[in-house]
Amino acid sequence: MELTYMKIAGATVVVTGGARRIGKHISLGLAQRGANVVVNYQSSATEAHEVVEACVNMGTGALAVQADISSKLGVEAVRDAAISKFGGVDCLINNASIYPNTPLDELTEDDFDRNIAVNLKGPYLGCWLFGLHMRERGHGKIVNITDWGVNRPYTNYAPYFVAKGGIVTLTKVFAKELAPTVMVNAIAPGPILMPDDFSTSTVAAVAQATPLRRIGDPEDLLQTTLYLLEGTDFVTGAVIPVDGGRTIS
């Protein structure tokens, strides 16, 4: 049987939270390879339109869509805008996320609700609503972003890790629900882009605690995403760590 892998060139890819940080790098990297990129954002309008302009300058199609992906209406708005512009969606990157510091003694109920809404409900809605669309079209790829720390959580981020841990189960559930036409996988990043409020000494300590003794680069996540999108058509339900070995340290 001849293998025919998905090609990114000419495909339409939706990237939630695609205007900043990791999402921006993935959006631009996909555009460089010829994909039509739909950049979802909630409040980073200027950055989103800058990414779209950069994609268009590369010769590909691009669209910025403002929507809150923690609601069904928001996810449907992104999906429908992408279909209206490009005719359909081939791939979804569930990247949008928040990472608030939430010490246990200061936790509020809203901390839990907000983390679950953005970090878990959003990807759930994406897998469901985009997944049905892809299944109807007969093909598709979904990549969810979790976190290496779900296997070794650290303190002061309890709601975040509860939500990100749910991404692992969500990925496996939808991989089965959407098989055999749609493949659903996850990437578990380690220290790639440090939060802006991390001190130099904290960043150095994180690097020292990583077996490869360095902070990763967004390109590492892009390359893993590319592998899942067009490097294989025989991987689904997998969670791939891109963490410099933090999980085994």
Side-chain angles (χ1 to χ4, degrees), residues 101-109 111 155-159:
N101 183 284
T102 50
L104 193 62
D105 293 338
E106 301 172 15
L107 278 180
T108 66
E109 186 175 4
D111 291 326
T155 58
N156 296 330
Y157 292 90

Side-chain angles (χ1 to χ4, degrees), residues 104-247:
L104 193 62
D105 293 338
E106 301 172 15
L107 278 180
T108 66
E109 186 175 4
D110 183 64
D111 291 326
F112 178 84
D113 292 344
R114 184 164 171 257
N115 273 273
I116 292 297
V118 177
N119 292 337
L120 183 56
K121 184 183 176 185
Y124 169 85
L125 293 170
C127 287
W128 169 34
L129 298 171
F130 279 89
L132 290 177
H133 165 70
M134 293 174 184
R135 188 176 69 180
E136 183 178 342
R137 300 184 78 218
H139 71 275
K141 301 282 185 76
I142 298 175
V143 178
N144 299 317
I145 307 298
T146 179
D147 192 294
W148 77 277
V150 300
N151 293 316
R152 294 182 55 194
Y154 38 89
T155 58
N156 296 330
Y157 292 90
Y160 169 83
F161 280 121
V162 169
K164 285 295 188 178
I167 294 292
V168 174
T169 301
L170 178 152
T171 297
K172 296 175 182 179
V173 166
F174 278 97
K176 294 192 80 171
E177 291 280 359
L178 296 172
T181 50
V182 180
M183 279 149 269
V184 184
N185 293 289
I187 299 173
I192 303 291
L193 281 180
M194 296 294 94
D196 295 335
D197 59 353
F198 273 26
S199 66
T200 301
S201 61
T202 298
V203 173
V206 170
Q208 186 62 28
T210 303
L212 295 186
R213 298 292 188 269
R214 58 185 173 85
I215 303 299
D217 190 275
E219 186 68 14
D220 297 309
L221 291 182
L222 172 62
Q223 291 298 324
T224 309
T225 302
L226 294 174
Y227 165 70
L228 291 172
L229 295 188
E230 68 174 2
T232 179
D233 277 341
F234 200 60
V235 174
T236 196
V239 180
I240 301 177
V242 182
D243 63 359
R246 281 300 294 270
T247 305

Side-chain angles (χ1 to χ4, degrees), residues 40 59 68 72 80 88 151 164 211:
N40 159 249
D68 178 1
K72 182 172 182 284
D80 293 349
N151 293 316
K164 285 295 188 178

Side-chain angles (χ1 to χ4, degrees), residues 59-87:
T60 63
L63 176 69
V65 183
Q66 192 282 329
D68 178 1
I69 54 86
S70 68
S71 75
K72 182 172 182 284
L73 286 176
V75 174
E76 287 175 333
V78 179
R79 180 199 61 191
D80 293 349
I83 293 171
S84 177
K85 175 76 172 179
F86 298 111

